[in-house]
Amino acid sequence: MTLDTLQTQQHLIVRQRIRLMVNQYEVHSVDPATGGEAGILAFAQQKRLAFKEQVTLYTDDTKQTPLLGFKARQVIDLGATYDVTDVNGQPIGLFRKSFAASLLRSTWVLEQPGYGEITGQERNQWVAILRRFVDSLSWLPYHFDFTIQGRPAFSVVRKWGLRDTYRVSIHDPSLDRRLVVAMAVALDALQSR
């Protein structure tokens, strides 16, 4: 996978792999004819129980070629900021959970340099409340809509299934897909924190 290929995608599928000691995710392009998974665009890995949250994304599951990563600025913080960087450590953007706004409905804020704040919030407040206050319902699917200045930027929809699977639709062609992929992976890896 090349960065140019990733940047042309309008739809992605992010699927979690079931592993014991790490969280792993596959990022796929979408076959326009079937709507199903096409080629793998990126592979992400997050160590569980890490002292400081960090996720590295690679071009594939051989983990030979890093593509990007995100890392928490703080060790433990409910509203931690995560810096997203390219393979050379150059900033792509950042994201953070808006703690106060997330009490009843999870809210995330992304920033892409020169672009302004992109705010993402769970679409259905009732599902959000159920997932928070009834532990046995934390598996319920959810839908995040991300907007910039009232315009749709992208959306992430968690689907039903044995494995966590997310459908990502990118509405704003100017968005850096690496930032979108980092946020989609973070929604699974960090959402329950």
Side-chain angles (χ1 to χ4, degrees), residues 5-168:
T5 302
L6 177 62
Q7 296 292 25
T8 63
Q9 302 302 306
Q10 299 296 312
H11 301 281
L12 302 166
I13 296 173
V14 178
R15 186 169 34 89
Q16 183 180 27
R17 287 184 178 178
I18 306 298
R19 298 292 184 261
L20 187 58
M21 296 305 293
V22 295
N23 285 333
Q24 294 181 336
Y25 304 90
E26 297 173 357
V27 180
H28 293 267
S29 57
V30 174
D31 182 329
T34 66
E37 292 177 6
I40 191 166
L41 297 171
F43 175 80
Q45 182 165 304
Q46 172 204 28
K47 290 183 181 176
R48 291 187 185 154
L49 306 172
F51 190 58
K52 195 175 196 180
E53 293 294 343
Q54 180 173 353
V55 176
T56 303
L57 285 94
Y58 302 91
T59 56
D60 59 35
D61 61 1
T62 65
K63 299 186 283 185
Q64 298 297 311
T65 309
L67 181 63
L68 67 120
F70 61 89
K71 184 177 183 177
R73 289 183 183 174
Q74 304 88 354
V75 175
I76 297 176
D77 185 359
L78 295 174
T81 297
Y82 296 84
D83 293 303
V84 183
T85 57
D86 68 13
V87 67
N88 299 314
Q90 296 301 308
I92 295 170
L94 61 86
F95 60 85
R96 66 184 175 279
K97 192 168 192 177
S98 177
F99 180 72
S102 294
L103 291 175
L104 293 178
R105 190 187 305 186
S106 291
T107 304
W108 291 85
V109 177
L110 287 82
E111 294 180 21
Q112 179 175 312
Y115 205 70
E117 284 192 352
I118 303 162
T119 304
Q121 189 172 58
E122 286 182 88
R123 179 183 286 178
N124 189 320
Q125 185 169 358
W126 296 111
V127 170
I129 291 169
L130 283 172
R131 285 187 327 98
R132 273 168 192 63
F133 298 111
V134 183
D135 285 339
S136 62
L137 296 178
S138 63
W139 54 268
L140 283 172
Y142 51 78
H143 185 141
F144 274 84
D145 291 314
F146 290 82
T147 61
I148 182 165
Q149 299 172 351
R151 296 185 328 266
F154 68 99
S155 61
V156 179
V157 179
R158 181 179 179 189
K159 303 307 254 179
W160 293 91
L162 296 176
R163 292 187 291 179
D164 291 342
T165 302
Y166 301 84
R167 292 228 170 231
V168 181

